Amino acid sequence: MKISIERGALLKAVGQAQSVVERRNTIPILANVLIEADGGTVSFRATDLDIEVVDRTPAVVDRAGATTVSAVMLHEIVRKLPDGALVNLSEDAASGRLTVMAGRSVFSLATLPKEDFPVMASSEYSSNFSASAPMLRRLFDKAKFAISTEETRYYLNGVYMHVAQGDEGPVLRCVATDGHRLARIDAPLPEGAAGMPGVIVPRKTVNELRKLLDDDEAQIAVSVSETKVRFATPQITMTSKVIDGTFPDYSRVIPVGNTRRLEVDAQEFAKAVDRVATVSSERSRAVKLSLDEDRLVLSVNAPDSGAAEEELAVAYGDERLEIGFNAKYLLEIASQVDRENAVFLFNSSGDPTLMREGSDMSAVYVVMPMRV
């Protein structure tokens, strides 16, 4: 194998692949990236056995072939090369080395046989549809903060993507929860997605997928089966196993009878919560909200470190209410609001609270209160 490729294109391709590779590996080949050159294209394939990323990029291929080399090392080398450099990769099969040349720099890297590289088994996808990058970005970005990190409840360690019935017909919905807070985000149902099986997309996949969604113009081809999900652009294909489990019936925890309505500037609210939470104890991080007519007082009382209080002008017309929350949860939910105002709907100090953006029902958040 012998190829020439511009440094920028190589860095982007290797960067995407190496981020999937686990840093601690018991199987040496999983630390490597599989480089395959053919025609005028070179592809870089990396996997951790749960996710596989293939990144294709144009290159001058003098001699077709394939080999595997340490993904992290190749990425580090390319990253440190000067901008605009032309990089030559050539494999010497006899010595089992890959030579990387750019300008006056020459690196000789150990390789492993390409036959040992595990390629994810292809599967039949029961549902195929196309979605815009901004739509998928919104669905996953707004939901992922609520993904659980508890390994014991593995079925909550991802975002549940499924077709659901919204207020105005079927929608593509993403839901995540950790038992303390929940995010439910809806988007118009793309053509061809109606029969899609509901799947739980793992946290790592959600984070890796974000790199495919930076281009606002991109259309992402989404394929879903009971066991796998695939997201593809013309350059990158990402295939992931889904979490094998049943996502709980989240609709039961979304309150429908909350009538006490608070409207507040989301940015001001987040900043105020952040300020008063400075003195809260690390363990509980509890913030108390005291609501009265058109007035909200945020307070923290931590016996060992001090107390803080801040008042905000808000729109609230119901009876007096005192309710406590974990400051971190409030901050994360408030930071999801794109518009100016966040609307909180309360019932009592012991019941879940609902938050949405203005009158928009396509993004709904639920947070459980704390005793303060």
Side-chain angles (χ1 to χ4, degrees), residues 8-28:
L10 180 59
L11 183 65
K12 189 166 182 280
V14 177
Q16 186 78 41
Q18 68 92 33
S19 65
V20 174
V21 171
E22 286 290 337
R23 291 294 180 269
R24 292 186 298 279
N25 263 319
T26 49
I27 309 168

Side-chain angles (χ1 to χ4, degrees), residues 16 133 136-138 140-141 144 204-216 238:
Q16 186 78 41
L136 287 175
R137 191 167 63 212
R138 175 179 172 273
F140 285 103
D141 274 6
K144 69 181 180 187
K204 183 174 176 182
T205 307
V206 171
N207 292 333
E208 290 300 325
L209 172 63
R210 187 66 184 76
K211 298 173 188 146
L212 271 71
L213 306 178
D214 281 337
D215 178 8
D216 281 353
M238 186 173 132

Side-chain angles (χ1 to χ4, degrees), residues 275-316:
R275 281 193 289 267
V276 296
T278 313
V279 299
S280 66
S281 65
E282 273 306 306
R283 203 168 51 81
S284 70
R285 292 192 60 93
V287 171
K288 185 162 86 174
L289 280 63
S290 306
L291 285 155
D292 220 331
E293 195 165 324
D294 290 345
R295 187 183 108 129
L296 164 66
V297 177
L298 297 165
S299 60
V300 168
N301 194 357
D304 47 350
S305 53
E309 193 174 285
E310 182 160 341
E311 190 175 316
L312 288 174
V314 296
Y316 180 76

Side-chain angles (χ1 to χ4, degrees), residues 107-305:
F107 302 88
S108 178
L109 306 180
T111 63
L112 286 171
K114 63 180 185 292
E115 293 77 21
D116 294 352
F117 194 86
V119 174
M120 198 177 265
S122 59
S123 60
E124 288 296 312
Y125 293 100
S126 56
S127 181
N128 297 283
F129 59 92
S130 179
S132 71
M135 182 184 110
L136 287 175
R137 191 167 63 212
R138 175 179 172 273
L139 280 172
F140 285 103
D141 274 6
K142 284 183 172 294
K144 69 181 180 187
F145 75 92
I147 296 175
S148 172
T149 51
E150 273 183 57
E151 296 302 325
T152 48
R153 298 164 79 185
Y154 63 92
Y155 49 85
L156 298 181
N157 293 163
V159 172
Y160 181 42
M161 181 172 76
H162 61 297
V163 177
Q165 198 60 32
D167 295 338
E168 296 168 11
V171 292
L172 182 62
R173 177 174 287 176
C174 280
V175 179
T177 182
D178 63 358
H180 303 290
R181 62 253 162 99
L182 176 144
R184 189 196 80 190
I185 319 296
D186 292 350
L189 189 67
E191 205 174 315
M196 181 186 101
V199 289
I200 306 171
V201 184
R203 184 195 306 105
K204 183 174 176 182
T205 307
V206 171
N207 292 333
E208 290 300 325
L209 172 63
R210 187 66 184 76
K211 298 173 188 146
L212 271 71
L213 306 178
D214 281 337
D215 178 8
D216 281 353
E217 303 299 312
Q219 283 291 321
I220 312 290
V222 185
S223 307
V224 183
S225 75
E226 296 283 352
T227 55
K228 288 201 184 88
V229 60
R230 186 176 72 198
F231 300 93
T233 66
Q235 291 78 36
I236 303 170
T237 302
M238 186 173 132
T239 311
S240 168
K241 292 178 182 173
V242 299
I243 293 173
D244 181 14
T246 306
F247 202 80
D249 179 9
Y250 58 86
S251 57
R252 295 210 322 270
V253 299
I254 297 177
V256 286
N258 287 11
T259 52
R260 299 179 179 185
R261 186 175 188 277
L262 158 72
E263 190 163 339
V264 60
D265 180 307
Q267 277 197 318
E268 287 301 313
F269 177 73
K271 286 175 184 167
V273 169
D274 198 21
R275 281 193 289 267
V276 296
T278 313
V279 299
S280 66
S281 65
E282 273 306 306
R283 203 168 51 81
S284 70
R285 292 192 60 93
V287 171
K288 185 162 86 174
L289 280 63
S290 306
L291 285 155
D292 220 331
E293 195 165 324
D294 290 345
R295 187 183 108 129
L296 164 66
V297 177
L298 297 165
S299 60
V300 168
N301 194 357
D304 47 350
S305 53

Side-chain angles (χ1 to χ4, degrees), residues 314-328:
V314 296
Y316 180 76
D318 292 284
E319 66 227 53
R320 212 176 131 69
L321 174 70
E322 288 194 347
I323 187 166
F325 293 103
N326 181 315
K328 178 167 166 275

